[in-house]
C-alpha cells in the first residue's frame, strides 16, 4: 500500500464505528481466514463494519484508493470470495442480529448473521425458514445464491422465502427491495448473489415448526448402490413433508459409504418413505429419530478453516442407474478419504414457486450433485482437484441449468454462471448490475458483469 493509502487507512479507522484490521494488527490472521484453506489471501485491510454507514464509507474508501473489494459474511464460499490479496474486505461479522416479528411471520436478519444466529432466534418462537445445513454459514451469502437445505421440499429454496432487503450500493445509495419497492431487484437477489450491493438486512417469511424426524442413516459396502437407488425412488414419490440429502464417501478402509439425511415434518408415526429407506440393503447405522429442528441443523457440523476444498458439480434432470454407477465408481476411484459426492434433492417446494419470481433457473432439476474434494496435505492439491474436475465431467451428460453458484470455485467460466440463470434472466441481471453497480466494484462473486 502506498504512503497515501496508509494515510487513507488511518482516516478509515477514524471514520468507522467498527474497527479496521491491517496485517500487523492482532486478530488479522484469524480474520482473513476462509472456510477453505486452499485460499490463502492477505488483504491490505479488513473493515469490520458496524453499520450501513460504515459499509458505505468502506466502499467509498476502496474506490478512492483503487483497492479491490471483497465482502465477507460467514466466510464459507468455497471460492474464497470473502478474501482478496491487497484489497479491502468489508467484513460483516459484527452484524449478526436477527429480529423476529412473530405476529407478522417475518424475521429480519442483519448482514453478517449465520444460520445458527437465525435458527436460534426464530426457533425461540417455534418458527423457521428453510436455510443451510451448517450453522456457521452466512445467511446472506447462502440466500443470495439460492439456498438448499433440510426443509427444501417443504418450503422451497431459501431465496423463495426472501421477502425484502436493504442494500448499500457501491455508490453509497441505500436501496430497498420488496414486491412493492424495486421488485426487479428482489427478483435479482433471489439467486443473483452479492452483485448489486451489500445487503444490510434480509427479511424472510417464517413457518411454524419445532420438531422433525431426522438424523442420519448410514449404509456401507455392497448395499450402497441399491441404497442410493432406493433413495432416488423414495425421493421421486415422496410427499412435501420429507426433504433428503445424501453423501457418498469412503471409510478408512476404502469401503464406500452412503449417508442419507432425511428431514420429515409430517405427522405419521412411521412414514412409508422412512420405512423404505430403513429397509434398503447395507444399513449399518440408524440415527434417525424425533428431535428438535435445532438438533437437525447440527447433523453436519464441520470445523471452520481446517481443510482444503475444491467443489464442482451439476444440477441433473434425473438420477438414473448409469449415473449412480458412475458416481460410485468415481468415489471408489478417489482411493482415500476424506472427500464426498453430495446429492441434494430439489423435489417439492422449489417447483411449487412461480419461477418468474426469482432469477435463478435451476429449480426444475431433480438433484444437485456436487463433487466435494477435501483434503489436508497441500502436496495433494493437484490430485484432488483433478478428481473433482474429472468426476464432475463424468456427471455432465446428465446436467441441466449449469452449476450451483453457491458451490462454485472461482475458476468457473462465465458460461456456467450464465447457464444457472438462462439467457433471458442473465440479460435482466446484467441490466440490474448496470443500475446498481455499473463499475463492477462487487466482482468477487459469481460475477454478473454489466453490459459492455
Ligand atoms: C460447510 C459449508 C456448508 C454449506 N452448506 C450449504 C447449504 O446447506 N445449502 C446451501 O445452499 N449452501 C451451502 N453452502 C454454500 C454457501 O451457501 C455459499 O458458499 C455462500 O456463499 C456462503 O455464504 P457466506 O456468507 O458464509 O460466505 P462468504 O464467503 O462470507 O460470502 C460469500 C459471498 O456472498 C456474498 N455475500 C455475503 N454476505 C453478503 C451480504 N450481506 N451482502 C451482499 N453479499 C454478501 C459476497 O459476494 C461474498 O463474497 C455451504 C458452504 C460450506 C462451506
Amino acid at each position: 500500500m502506498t504512503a497515501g493509502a496508509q494515510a487513507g487507512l488511518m482516516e478509515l479507522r477514524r471514520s468507522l464505528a467498527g474497527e479496521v484490521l491491517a496485517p500487523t494488527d492482532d486478530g488479522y490472521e484469524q480474520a482473513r481466514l476462509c472456510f477453505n484453506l486452499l485460499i490463502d489471501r492477505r488483504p491490505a485491510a479488513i473493515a469490520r463494519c458496524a453499520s450501513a454507514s460504515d459499509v458505505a464509507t468502506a466502499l467509498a474508501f476502496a474506490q478512492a484508493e483503487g483497492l479491490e473489494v471483497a465482502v465477507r459474511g460467514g466466510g464459507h464460499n468455497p471460492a474464497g470470495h470473502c478474501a482478496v490479496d491487497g484489497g479491502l474486505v468489508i467484513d460483516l461479522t459484527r452484524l449478526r442480529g436477527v429480529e423476529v416479528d412473530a405476529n407478522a411471520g417475518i424475521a429480519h436478519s442483519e448482514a453478517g448473521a449465520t444460520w445458527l444466529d437465525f435458527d436460534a432466534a426464530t426457533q425461540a418462537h417455534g418458527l423457521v425458514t428453510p436455510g443451510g445445513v451448517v450453522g456457521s454459514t452466512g445467511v446472506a451469502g447462502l440466500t443470495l445464491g439460492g439456498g438448499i437445505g433440510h426443509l427444501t421440499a417443504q418450503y422451497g429454496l431459501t431465496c423463495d422465502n426472501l421477502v425484502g432487503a436493504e442494500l448499500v450500493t457501491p455508490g453509497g445509495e441505500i436501496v430497498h427491495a420488496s414486491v412493492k419497492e424495486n421488485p426487479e431487484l428482489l427478483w435479482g437477489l433471489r439467486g443473483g448473489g452479492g452483485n448489486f450491493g451489500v445487503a444490510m438486512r434480509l427479511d424472510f417469511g417464517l413457518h411454524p415448526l419445532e420438531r422433525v424426524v431426522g438424523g442420519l442413516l448410514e449404509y456401507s459396502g455392497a448395499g450402497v448402490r441399491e441404497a442410493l437407488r432406493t433413495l432416488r425412488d423414495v425421493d421421486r414419490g415422496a410427499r412435501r413433508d420429507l426433504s433428503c440429502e445424501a453423501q457418498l464417501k469412503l471409510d478408512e478402509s476404502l469401503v464406500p459409504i452412503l449417508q442419507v439425511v432425511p428431514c420429515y415434518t409430517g405427522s405419521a408415526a412411521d412414514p412409508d418413505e422412512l420405512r423404505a429407506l430403513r429397509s434398503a440393503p447395507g444399513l449399518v447405522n440408524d440415527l434417525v429419530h424425533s428431535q428438535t429442528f435445532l438438533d437437525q441443523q447440527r447433523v453436519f457440523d464441520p470445523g471452520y478453516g481446517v481443510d482444503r476444498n475444491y467443489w464442482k458439480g451439476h444440477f441433473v434432470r434425473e438420477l438414473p442407474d448409469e449415473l449412480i454407477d458412475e458416481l460410485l465408481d468415481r468415489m471408489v476411484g478417489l482411493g482415500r478419504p476424506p472427500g464426498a459426492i453430495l446429492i441434494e434433492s430439489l423435489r417439492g417446494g422449489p417447483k411449487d414457486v412461480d419461477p418468474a419470481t426469482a432469477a435463478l433457473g435451476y429449480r426444475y432439476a431433480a438433484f444437485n450433485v456436487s463433487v466435494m474434494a477435501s483434503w489436508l496435505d497441500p502436496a495433494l492439491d493437484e490430485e484432488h482437484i483433478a478428481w473433482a474436475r474429472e468426476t464432475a465431467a463424468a456427471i455432465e451428460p446428465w446436467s441441466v441449468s449449469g452449476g450451483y453458484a453457491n458451490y462454485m470455485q472461482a475458476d468457473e467460466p462465465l458460461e456456467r454462471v450464465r447457464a444457472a440463470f438462462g439467457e433471458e434472466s442473465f440479460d435482466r441481471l446484467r441490466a440490474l448490475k448496470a443500475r446498481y453497480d455499473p463499475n463492477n466494484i462487487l466482482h468477487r462473486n459469481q460475477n454478473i458483469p454489466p453490459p459492455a
Side-chain angles (χ1 to χ4, degrees), residues 35 70-78 80-82 92 110-112 131-134 136-144 146-149 158 193-195 197-200 202 245 302 311 344 404 406-407 444-446:
F35 176 88
V71 176
R72 181 194 188 88
H76 275 59
N77 197 280
H81 288 312
C82 67
L92 304 165
E110 278 193 320
V133 301
V134 171
S136 51
T137 313
V139 170
L142 181 140
T143 303
L144 298 173
I148 305 169
T158 310
N195 271 286
V198 178
M200 300 311 301
L202 295 175
E245 299 202 352
W311 299 357
E344 294 167 303
Y404 186 31
N406 271 348
Y407 295 168
R444 299 198 69 89
N445 44 37
Q446 298 311 335

Side-chain angles (χ1 to χ4, degrees), residues 19-371:
E19 68 267 25
V20 177
L21 296 175
T24 50
D25 289 329
D26 285 350
Y28 170 89
E29 292 300 332
Q30 187 63 28
R32 73 180 183 86
L33 204 64
C34 305
F35 176 88
N36 183 2
L37 282 191
L38 189 61
I39 315 293
D40 181 15
R41 300 197 183 122
R42 304 193 68 80
I46 298 169
R48 285 234 159 112
C49 297
S51 64
S53 144
D54 273 7
V55 169
T57 303
L59 281 165
F61 170 78
Q63 290 170 81
E65 299 296 340
L67 296 174
E68 250 192 289
V69 171
V71 176
R72 181 194 188 88
H76 275 59
N77 197 280
H81 288 312
C82 67
V84 53
D85 273 329
L88 181 73
V89 174
I90 299 195
D91 180 319
L92 304 165
T93 54
R94 283 179 58 142
L95 297 163
R96 291 176 55 177
V98 178
E99 205 181 288
V100 179
D101 181 343
N103 291 328
I106 301 279
H108 308 282
S109 178
E110 278 193 320
T114 65
W115 285 104
L116 200 55
D117 302 325
F118 189 93
D119 293 332
T122 55
Q123 281 290 279
H125 300 269
L127 297 167
V128 75
T129 266
V133 301
V134 171
S136 51
T137 313
V139 170
L142 181 140
T143 303
L144 298 173
I148 305 169
H150 291 311
L151 297 172
T152 302
Q154 289 89 338
Y155 306 124
L157 300 165
T158 310
C159 71
D160 294 333
N161 295 267
L162 179 71
V163 295
E166 179 181 283
L167 270 67
V168 177
T169 68
E173 193 189 354
I174 303 254
V175 288
H176 294 99
S178 68
V179 284
K180 291 200 176 123
E181 206 177 349
N182 299 312
E184 180 75 358
L185 179 58
L186 179 66
W187 170 87
L189 293 175
R190 291 177 173 154
N195 271 286
F196 313 113
V198 178
M200 300 311 301
R201 201 198 67 235
L202 295 175
D203 305 330
F204 295 90
L206 297 169
H207 313 267
L209 181 75
E210 284 173 87
R211 292 191 73 79
V212 306
V213 175
L216 188 138
L217 297 167
E218 189 165 279
Y219 308 82
S220 173
V224 160
R225 190 182 311 268
E226 198 49 42
L228 190 46
R229 289 179 182 183
T230 304
L231 169 68
R232 182 246 348 250
D233 296 342
V234 163
D235 187 78
R236 191 184 285 145
R239 291 162 293 188
R240 292 286 185 280
D241 48 20
L242 178 74
S243 286
C244 272
E245 299 202 352
Q247 281 189 320
L248 264 179
K249 293 179 166 179
L250 289 179
D251 71 11
E252 291 301 324
S253 47
L254 308 187
V255 170
I257 51 175
L258 175 72
Q259 294 176 331
V260 174
V261 181
C263 181
Y264 174 71
T265 55
S267 53
D270 185 17
D272 296 347
E273 292 94 336
L274 290 185
R275 206 163 346 109
L277 287 172
R278 282 184 159 122
S279 46
L283 184 68
V284 290
N285 226 341
D286 181 349
L287 302 173
V288 168
H289 53 269
S290 170
Q291 60 184 0
T292 64
F293 178 68
L294 288 176
D295 282 338
Q296 177 72 7
Q297 289 289 75
R298 292 188 196 103
V299 174
F300 298 105
D301 216 356
Y304 187 92
V306 291
D307 57 9
R308 306 166 84 78
N309 286 267
Y310 186 94
W311 299 357
K312 198 171 176 73
H314 295 280
F315 291 104
V316 297
R317 62 182 163 273
E318 53 180 346
L319 203 58
D321 291 351
E322 301 77 17
L323 178 52
I324 288 177
D325 292 349
E326 188 70 55
L327 296 179
L328 205 45
D329 288 352
R330 297 276 164 180
M331 198 63 244
V332 172
L334 174 62
R336 68 163 79 81
I341 298 176
L342 174 69
I343 300 164
E344 294 167 303
S345 168
L346 294 181
R347 177 185 41 78
K351 292 169 179 69
D352 293 340
V353 173
D354 175 359
T357 58
L360 54 80
Y362 51 77
R363 64 175 73 251
Y364 290 118
F367 295 95
N368 184 30
V369 182
S370 302
V371 186

